[in-house]
Amino acid sequence: MGEKYQTLSELNLEGQFLGFVGDKSGQYKHLRLAIPSGKVKVKLPKDLRCSPISTLVPGEQIRIGAIGKLNSRTSKVKLKAYQVEAVGLCLIENRLPQTKAKIMVCQKSGCMKRGGKGLLSELEKTLCDRGLSDQVTIEHTDCQKRCSSAPNCVLMLGKKQYKKVHPEAIASLLENHLKGCFKSEKIM
């Protein structure tokens, strides 16, 4: 059968801390980091989860020592941290835009069999037709734990979440959200 993961190399990453990711609030397993080439998710081993890194603030500049592993079946690379340290606050004016929305689409087999591929292509087409493609990030996720309502898609607009929304409705919600954001920017 063989090993599922092959160790690639050790990495030193430095970037802007975006936040923790976990199953329950306060119980995080990963952290998100913005680096020049994009965003990465790094797994935190149990010994680091209880360390002082829990006091990190989004926007803070951090340095991570990690090991990259390759899943030989899926060709995906996973990063696992062995060291995390704060470097300082990131005082860059153009931090990640707050107006950018995120759409998380489940890519597990249950959702894919129940129309996930069609949902994703229809969503991309609708956003492109309305000129919203550059205003939103589409993220492919693992199981969202709502298999009975597959295919699953979650729209995140700031702190608001919209679940089980049709692509046309997503586009309308995005347009309304972006109009509100642009108005508040003009006032300032």
Side-chain angles (χ1 to χ4, degrees), residues 153-185:
C153 167
V154 177
L155 170 64
M156 303 269 304
L157 297 174
K159 293 185 178 183
K160 293 183 181 177
Q161 285 188 7
Y162 298 91
K163 299 175 183 174
K164 199 70 178 160
V165 185
H166 190 271
E168 284 293 326
I170 288 175
S172 296
L173 285 167
L174 273 169
E175 287 172 339
N176 291 334
H177 173 73
L178 294 171
K179 284 179 190 174
C181 289
F182 290 132
K183 285 178 187 173
S184 64
E185 284 176 10

Tab-separated table of all heavy atoms in Angstrom, residues 153-185:
chain	number	residue	atom	x	y	z
A	153	CYS	N	-22.946	25.199	-0.359
A	153	CYS	CA	-22.238	26.409	-0.749
A	153	CYS	C	-22.549	27.451	0.319
A	153	CYS	O	-23.705	27.595	0.717
A	153	CYS	CB	-22.748	26.834	-2.118
A	153	CYS	SG	-22.297	28.461	-2.622
A	154	VAL	N	-21.524	28.162	0.811
A	154	VAL	CA	-21.717	29.197	1.826
A	154	VAL	C	-21.137	30.500	1.297
A	154	VAL	O	-19.989	30.540	0.854
A	154	VAL	CB	-21.025	28.820	3.161
A	154	VAL	CG1	-21.169	29.928	4.180
A	154	VAL	CG2	-21.579	27.523	3.709
A	155	LEU	N	-21.925	31.561	1.349
A	155	LEU	CA	-21.480	32.894	0.957
A	155	LEU	C	-21.153	33.667	2.226
A	155	LEU	O	-21.984	33.756	3.126
A	155	LEU	CB	-22.577	33.616	0.168
A	155	LEU	CG	-22.371	35.103	-0.109
A	155	LEU	CD1	-21.154	35.328	-0.996
A	155	LEU	CD2	-23.611	35.702	-0.737
A	156	MET	N	-19.922	34.198	2.308
A	156	MET	CA	-19.497	34.977	3.473
A	156	MET	C	-19.341	36.430	3.031
A	156	MET	O	-18.496	36.737	2.193
A	156	MET	CB	-18.160	34.472	3.998
A	156	MET	CG	-18.134	33.013	4.381
A	156	MET	SD	-18.531	32.674	6.077
A	156	MET	CE	-17.374	33.645	6.958
A	157	LEU	N	-20.169	37.301	3.589
A	157	LEU	CA	-20.079	38.737	3.337
A	157	LEU	C	-19.761	39.402	4.665
A	157	LEU	O	-20.651	39.604	5.481
A	157	LEU	CB	-21.382	39.294	2.775
A	157	LEU	CG	-21.828	38.762	1.419
A	157	LEU	CD1	-23.195	39.292	1.056
A	157	LEU	CD2	-20.813	39.130	0.359
A	158	GLY	N	-18.504	39.713	4.883
A	158	GLY	CA	-18.093	40.247	6.176
A	158	GLY	C	-18.313	39.188	7.237
A	158	GLY	O	-17.793	38.087	7.139
A	159	LYS	N	-19.144	39.495	8.224
A	159	LYS	CA	-19.430	38.532	9.294
A	159	LYS	C	-20.724	37.763	9.046
A	159	LYS	O	-21.097	36.915	9.835
A	159	LYS	CB	-19.521	39.259	10.638
A	159	LYS	CG	-18.188	39.835	11.077
A	159	LYS	CD	-18.279	40.445	12.442
A	159	LYS	CE	-16.919	40.967	12.871
A	159	LYS	NZ	-16.939	41.509	14.214
A	160	LYS	N	-21.415	38.063	7.938
A	160	LYS	CA	-22.673	37.385	7.628
A	160	LYS	C	-22.417	36.151	6.776
A	160	LYS	O	-21.558	36.157	5.905
A	160	LYS	CB	-23.619	38.319	6.880
A	160	LYS	CG	-24.111	39.472	7.713
A	160	LYS	CD	-25.082	40.301	6.936
A	160	LYS	CE	-25.559	41.481	7.764
A	160	LYS	NZ	-26.449	42.336	6.980
A	161	GLN	N	-23.189	35.096	7.047
A	161	GLN	CA	-23.108	33.849	6.279
A	161	GLN	C	-24.468	33.561	5.658
A	161	GLN	O	-25.496	33.689	6.317
A	161	GLN	CB	-22.763	32.666	7.183
A	161	GLN	CG	-21.350	32.597	7.614
A	161	GLN	CD	-21.069	31.284	8.342
A	161	GLN	OE1	-21.908	30.389	8.402
A	161	GLN	NE2	-19.887	31.178	8.901
A	162	TYR	N	-24.435	33.166	4.383
A	162	TYR	CA	-25.656	32.756	3.700
A	162	TYR	C	-25.436	31.344	3.201
A	162	TYR	O	-24.490	31.081	2.465
A	162	TYR	CB	-25.956	33.690	2.517
A	162	TYR	CG	-26.193	35.124	2.928
A	162	TYR	CD1	-25.136	36.026	2.985
A	162	TYR	CD2	-27.465	35.561	3.262
A	162	TYR	CE1	-25.358	37.343	3.365
A	162	TYR	CE2	-27.692	36.874	3.637
A	162	TYR	CZ	-26.630	37.763	3.690
A	162	TYR	OH	-26.847	39.059	4.064
A	163	LYS	N	-26.321	30.428	3.606
A	163	LYS	CA	-26.188	29.021	3.225
A	163	LYS	C	-27.320	28.640	2.280
A	163	LYS	O	-28.406	29.196	2.343
A	163	LYS	CB	-26.228	28.132	4.468
A	163	LYS	CG	-25.099	28.417	5.429
A	163	LYS	CD	-25.230	27.623	6.697
A	163	LYS	CE	-24.111	28.011	7.653
A	163	LYS	NZ	-24.259	27.383	8.937
A	164	LYS	N	-27.028	27.667	1.415
A	164	LYS	CA	-28.023	27.112	0.498
A	164	LYS	C	-28.677	28.217	-0.350
A	164	LYS	O	-29.895	28.354	-0.404
A	164	LYS	CB	-29.070	26.328	1.293
A	164	LYS	CG	-29.894	25.350	0.500
A	164	LYS	CD	-29.098	24.182	0.039
A	164	LYS	CE	-29.975	23.200	-0.699
A	164	LYS	NZ	-29.235	22.317	-1.535
A	165	VAL	N	-27.832	29.021	-1.020
A	165	VAL	CA	-28.303	30.131	-1.828
A	165	VAL	C	-28.023	29.827	-3.296
A	165	VAL	O	-26.949	29.347	-3.648
A	165	VAL	CB	-27.600	31.446	-1.414
A	165	VAL	CG1	-28.167	32.621	-2.175
A	165	VAL	CG2	-27.741	31.681	0.080
A	166	HIS	N	-28.981	30.109	-4.163
A	166	HIS	CA	-28.853	29.895	-5.605
A	166	HIS	C	-27.832	30.892	-6.176
A	166	HIS	O	-27.723	32.013	-5.684
A	166	HIS	CB	-30.222	30.089	-6.250
A	166	HIS	CG	-30.268	29.680	-7.677
A	166	HIS	ND1	-29.958	30.563	-8.693
A	166	HIS	CD2	-30.538	28.499	-8.276
A	166	HIS	CE1	-30.058	29.940	-9.853
A	166	HIS	NE2	-30.409	28.676	-9.626
A	167	PRO	N	-27.070	30.528	-7.229
A	167	PRO	CA	-26.065	31.424	-7.807
A	167	PRO	C	-26.577	32.815	-8.185
A	167	PRO	O	-25.891	33.806	-7.987
A	167	PRO	CB	-25.575	30.660	-9.036
A	167	PRO	CG	-25.713	29.231	-8.643
A	167	PRO	CD	-26.973	29.182	-7.822
A	168	GLU	N	-27.802	32.923	-8.726
A	168	GLU	CA	-28.357	34.245	-9.068
A	168	GLU	C	-28.551	35.087	-7.808
A	168	GLU	O	-28.279	36.282	-7.797
A	168	GLU	CB	-29.685	34.099	-9.811
A	168	GLU	CG	-29.547	33.685	-11.253
A	168	GLU	CD	-28.897	34.760	-12.123
A	168	GLU	OE1	-29.105	35.971	-11.884
A	168	GLU	OE2	-28.166	34.379	-13.047
A	169	ALA	N	-29.038	34.443	-6.730
A	169	ALA	CA	-29.238	35.158	-5.466
A	169	ALA	C	-27.901	35.572	-4.871
A	169	ALA	O	-27.787	36.653	-4.285
A	169	ALA	CB	-30.013	34.279	-4.489
A	170	ILE	N	-26.877	34.730	-5.024
A	170	ILE	CA	-25.541	35.067	-4.537
A	170	ILE	C	-25.046	36.328	-5.245
A	170	ILE	O	-24.522	37.245	-4.611
A	170	ILE	CB	-24.556	33.895	-4.743
A	170	ILE	CG1	-24.875	32.771	-3.745
A	170	ILE	CG2	-23.109	34.343	-4.592
A	170	ILE	CD1	-24.057	31.512	-3.923
A	171	ALA	N	-25.223	36.380	-6.565
A	171	ALA	CA	-24.787	37.548	-7.331
A	171	ALA	C	-25.518	38.807	-6.869
A	171	ALA	O	-24.907	39.868	-6.713
A	171	ALA	CB	-24.998	37.304	-8.820
A	172	SER	N	-26.816	38.704	-6.610
A	172	SER	CA	-27.590	39.863	-6.142
A	172	SER	C	-27.128	40.316	-4.763
A	172	SER	O	-26.968	41.512	-4.509
A	172	SER	CB	-29.079	39.526	-6.091
A	172	SER	OG	-29.557	39.255	-7.379
A	173	LEU	N	-26.902	39.355	-3.858
A	173	LEU	CA	-26.408	39.686	-2.520
A	173	LEU	C	-25.045	40.372	-2.606
A	173	LEU	O	-24.777	41.338	-1.885
A	173	LEU	CB	-26.299	38.420	-1.656
A	173	LEU	CG	-27.608	37.846	-1.133
A	173	LEU	CD1	-27.391	36.445	-0.579
A	173	LEU	CD2	-28.182	38.741	-0.052
A	174	LEU	N	-24.179	39.872	-3.486
A	174	LEU	CA	-22.857	40.467	-3.672
A	174	LEU	C	-22.964	41.907	-4.170
A	174	LEU	O	-22.270	42.793	-3.669
A	174	LEU	CB	-22.043	39.653	-4.679
A	174	LEU	CG	-21.258	38.479	-4.131
A	174	LEU	CD1	-20.726	37.634	-5.267
A	174	LEU	CD2	-20.132	38.946	-3.258
A	175	GLU	N	-23.824	42.127	-5.164
A	175	GLU	CA	-23.994	43.476	-5.701
A	175	GLU	C	-24.463	44.438	-4.616
A	175	GLU	O	-23.941	45.541	-4.478
A	175	GLU	CB	-24.972	43.468	-6.871
A	175	GLU	CG	-24.389	42.864	-8.131
A	175	GLU	CD	-25.403	42.676	-9.242
A	175	GLU	OE1	-26.620	42.636	-8.973
A	175	GLU	OE2	-24.956	42.546	-10.397
A	176	ASN	N	-25.440	44.013	-3.812
A	176	ASN	CA	-25.950	44.865	-2.735
A	176	ASN	C	-24.876	45.131	-1.691
A	176	ASN	O	-24.734	46.240	-1.196
A	176	ASN	CB	-27.185	44.239	-2.077
A	176	ASN	CG	-28.379	44.246	-3.005
A	176	ASN	OD1	-28.478	45.069	-3.902
A	176	ASN	ND2	-29.285	43.306	-2.797
A	177	HIS	N	-24.106	44.101	-1.345
A	177	HIS	CA	-23.034	44.235	-0.355
A	177	HIS	C	-21.973	45.215	-0.843
A	177	HIS	O	-21.532	46.090	-0.111
A	177	HIS	CB	-22.409	42.867	-0.069
A	177	HIS	CG	-21.205	42.931	0.810
A	177	HIS	ND1	-21.286	43.190	2.156
A	177	HIS	CD2	-19.885	42.762	0.530
A	177	HIS	CE1	-20.068	43.186	2.670
A	177	HIS	NE2	-19.200	42.930	1.703
A	178	LEU	N	-21.584	45.074	-2.105
A	178	LEU	CA	-20.534	45.930	-2.650
A	178	LEU	C	-20.996	47.378	-2.784
A	178	LEU	O	-20.218	48.298	-2.554
A	178	LEU	CB	-20.056	45.386	-3.999
A	178	LEU	CG	-19.339	44.043	-3.910
A	178	LEU	CD1	-19.084	43.471	-5.298
A	178	LEU	CD2	-18.040	44.157	-3.133
A	179	LYS	N	-22.263	47.598	-3.113
A	179	LYS	CA	-22.782	48.965	-3.172
A	179	LYS	C	-22.699	49.622	-1.803
A	179	LYS	O	-22.306	50.761	-1.671
A	179	LYS	CB	-24.238	48.963	-3.651
A	179	LYS	CG	-24.392	48.739	-5.129
A	179	LYS	CD	-25.859	48.719	-5.505
A	179	LYS	CE	-26.040	48.256	-6.938
A	179	LYS	NZ	-27.462	48.085	-7.278
A	180	GLY	N	-23.062	48.859	-0.756
A	180	GLY	CA	-22.987	49.374	0.621
A	180	GLY	C	-21.566	49.692	1.031
A	180	GLY	O	-21.302	50.694	1.676
A	181	CYS	N	-20.608	48.862	0.628
A	181	CYS	CA	-19.201	49.083	0.973
A	181	CYS	C	-18.661	50.320	0.279
A	181	CYS	O	-17.922	51.093	0.862
A	181	CYS	CB	-18.350	47.861	0.589
A	181	CYS	SG	-18.655	46.451	1.631
A	182	PHE	N	-19.036	50.509	-0.997
A	182	PHE	CA	-18.526	51.663	-1.727
A	182	PHE	C	-19.107	52.953	-1.173
A	182	PHE	O	-18.449	53.961	-1.117
A	182	PHE	CB	-18.807	51.530	-3.227
A	182	PHE	CG	-17.984	50.453	-3.870
A	182	PHE	CD1	-18.578	49.517	-4.697
A	182	PHE	CD2	-16.627	50.359	-3.644
A	182	PHE	CE1	-17.825	48.513	-5.293
A	182	PHE	CE2	-15.859	49.358	-4.226
A	182	PHE	CZ	-16.467	48.443	-5.067
A	183	LYS	N	-20.375	52.924	-0.718
A	183	LYS	CA	-20.979	54.114	-0.122
A	183	LYS	C	-20.231	54.499	1.137
A	183	LYS	O	-19.937	55.652	1.378
A	183	LYS	CB	-22.460	53.874	0.194
A	183	LYS	CG	-23.347	53.890	-1.015
A	183	LYS	CD	-24.773	53.606	-0.618
A	183	LYS	CE	-25.661	53.451	-1.852
A	183	LYS	NZ	-27.008	53.016	-1.483
A	184	SER	N	-19.923	53.521	1.999
A	184	SER	CA	-19.252	53.824	3.262
A	184	SER	C	-17.827	54.317	3.013
A	184	SER	O	-17.305	55.115	3.769
A	184	SER	CB	-19.242	52.604	4.184
A	184	SER	OG	-18.495	51.562	3.624
A	185	GLU	N	-17.172	53.875	1.925
A	185	GLU	CA	-15.835	54.338	1.614
A	185	GLU	C	-15.873	55.800	1.165
A	185	GLU	O	-14.981	56.573	1.470
A	185	GLU	CB	-15.204	53.480	0.494
A	185	GLU	CG	-14.748	52.133	0.987
A	185	GLU	CD	-14.220	51.257	-0.133
A	185	GLU	OE1	-14.039	51.750	-1.262
A	185	GLU	OE2	-13.989	50.070	0.130
